Amino acid sequence: MAEVVTPSGIPVAPVYGPGVLPEGAHEALGQPGQFPFTRGVQPTMYRGRLWTMRQYAGFGTAAETNARFKLLLEAGQTGLSVAFDLPTQMGIDSDSPRAMGEVGRVGVAIDTVEDMHALLADLPLDRISTSMTINATAATLLAMYIVVAEERGMPRAALSGTIQNDILKEYVARGTYVYPVEPSLALIAETFRFCAEEVPQWNPISISGYHMREAGATAVQEVAFTFANALAYVQAAVDAGLAVDAFAPRLSFFFACHNDLFEEVAKFRAARRLWARLMRDRFGANDASCRMRFHTQTGGVTLTAQQPLNNVVRVAVQTLAATLGGTQSLHTNGYDEALALPTAAAATLALRTQQIVGYESGVAQTVDPLAGSYYVESLTSELEARAVDLLAKVEALGGAAKAIEAGFMQEEIGQSAYAYQLGVESGKTVVVGVNKFGDGAPPPVIPTPDYTQLEVEQRARVAAVKTARDAATVAAALQTLESAVRAGGTPLMPLVIDAVRARASVGEISDTMERVWGKYR
């Protein structure tokens, strides 16, 4: 019989029984809501409340995205998730020559707090949580969210949500970095401090394995490299003088979910257990700081342009894996996302997939329903052991920052991506509709917006704000911010908020910091 392995290369036996479980497996399992949280971070999990259904959306202009948010909320979505365009993510204003051809193409263009007002118009910010996939400019976008709430009469303490704010994985897999590593880590530690003191319901970071998985990482690499980065953030915050239990309960994580149902379930369970052990053993953290809360998104790279309706089934399988694995919130991809930004119909169907699983499948009726499966428990233990071994290799290089500088993570992920592609091209790895059961039909054509006109209109909006604002007030706010960045040791978030309130743009604030810190190269 030919050897069968999971996508992470873990051998799969034909049948599993009691003898496969390692010694101490029952003790490691524990109870839901109790250390080491293998079975979930809450005692009742979905019996108490379903996961947050948080569909990711961002379309060209703030007004268009606001309309999509309202559509999804009316359809039953329970949280917002914002996709920003590349210029916004990289601290470049829409009126910059560097933004030409990219404005609004992969998300919403946000240049000033007036755009943020339009994005969030009529949305109950004190009753829904908002996740923002933003990294290098995360502090600025958080400041804009706070100023919008302030100008609508809402206190900061009432706001809940998440900024991704995970710059290390940008150096590894995604590329939307601006500043060098050390000042970036210092700015992240500053957001930890600010949120703990001023916005206590806000998650100041979403440490992300998702983008590394999209780049080709295996499930084992996703867990190990995510935790290597997470340990670097925790250490940076502790080194900055923060008590671990003052900020760690608000740390959140972001993982992908792919098609191998059982490996994905085991991955989430293993990750919870490993993170709990790392936090207790290394930092002496309390139980609240050891609970690994995470958001999941179904796998973008698993979607196919050929026979795109097949993606509905893939997303359903991944939804089952994420919920059986105990996710706290979930985005399900539209079936047409291999072709274009999701249409309204595809986005609604993706949300309905979550709702059917949540309300009709029985998944939510009991906690950790796959616990005790010989196969799942064996996979959970093996995934954890392999992640520990890989994490040790990162730490032998001096930790995440040094491993990134040496190209270790990038090389490991590149090799995995190459091996996967070889499997697809040889037919060993089956992708239905692509290398097996194809019908030869060309992918459908999905209409796309007129991005050229969109860019013209967005540039005009930026110009209008810059004309109407008090130039002296903006200049003074930016100069105060630059002086504080140069001096070091001064809390920066209040100064960023002052600059946003004065109508300074994302690009102007980013350039102010870049003049002092320089660029990462």
Side-chain angles (χ1 to χ4, degrees), residues 4-21:
V4 175
V5 297
T6 72
S8 288
I10 298 172
V12 179
V15 66
Y16 286 79
V20 304
L21 300 183

Side-chain angles (χ1 to χ4, degrees), residues 72 88 92 105 121 159 166 220 287 292 299 374 416 455 507 512:
L72 289 167
T88 303
I92 302 168
R105 282 188 179 266
L159 303 178
D166 173 8
V220 169
D287 279 6
M292 191 199 79
Y374 299 126
S416 295
E455 183 172 317
T512 297

Side-chain angles (χ1 to χ4, degrees), residues 105-284:
R105 282 188 179 266
V106 297
V108 61
I110 300 292
D111 291 294
T112 70
V113 73
E114 298 300 346
D115 290 326
M116 188 67 86
H117 268 293
L119 178 72
L120 303 173
D122 305 318
L123 299 175
L125 304 186
D126 53 349
R127 298 200 306 275
I128 56 173
S129 65
T130 303
S131 173
M132 296 192 285
T133 302
I134 197 76
N135 296 282
T137 55
T140 303
L141 273 295
L142 173 59
M144 287 185 171
Y145 196 93
I146 289 169
V147 170
V148 166
E150 172 188 284
E151 293 179 351
R152 287 169 54 177
M154 298 177 189
R156 297 173 184 178
L159 303 178
S160 62
T162 305
I163 42 174
Q164 190 162 99
N165 207 20
D166 173 8
I167 202 65
L168 290 175
K169 65 91 176 48
E170 296 296 320
Y171 305 127
V172 175
R174 196 161 172 267
T176 67
Y177 45 74
V178 178
Y179 321 116
V181 174
E182 291 307 319
S184 295
L185 288 175
L187 185 57
I188 289 168
E190 160 64 0
T191 60
F192 286 8
R193 179 206 62 79
F194 176 80
C195 289
E197 295 177 0
E198 302 275 347
V199 202
Q201 297 186 77
W202 199 273
N203 302 317
I205 195 168
S206 177
I207 307 156
S208 176
Y210 182 87
H211 304 95
M212 293 186 281
R213 192 71 184 275
E214 288 286 285
T218 65
V220 169
Q221 290 169 338
E222 182 184 11
V223 172
F225 295 157
T226 300
F227 287 171
N229 292 343
L231 292 171
Y233 296 131
V234 174
Q235 191 63 58
V238 170
D239 291 345
L242 300 180
V244 68
D245 293 325
F247 67 87
R250 298 307 305 181
L251 299 179
S252 64
F253 290 80
F254 174 25
F255 291 108
C257 197
H258 283 201
N259 289 327
D260 192 298
L261 182 101
F262 296 108
E263 181 172 76
E264 294 299 306
V265 172
K267 177 188 77 178
F268 296 130
R269 299 172 83 251
R272 265 195 304 272
R273 187 159 75 203
L274 176 54
W275 182 247
R277 289 170 169 170
L278 288 169
M279 287 298 284
R280 177 173 287 186
D281 294 348
R282 301 195 181 196
F283 298 100

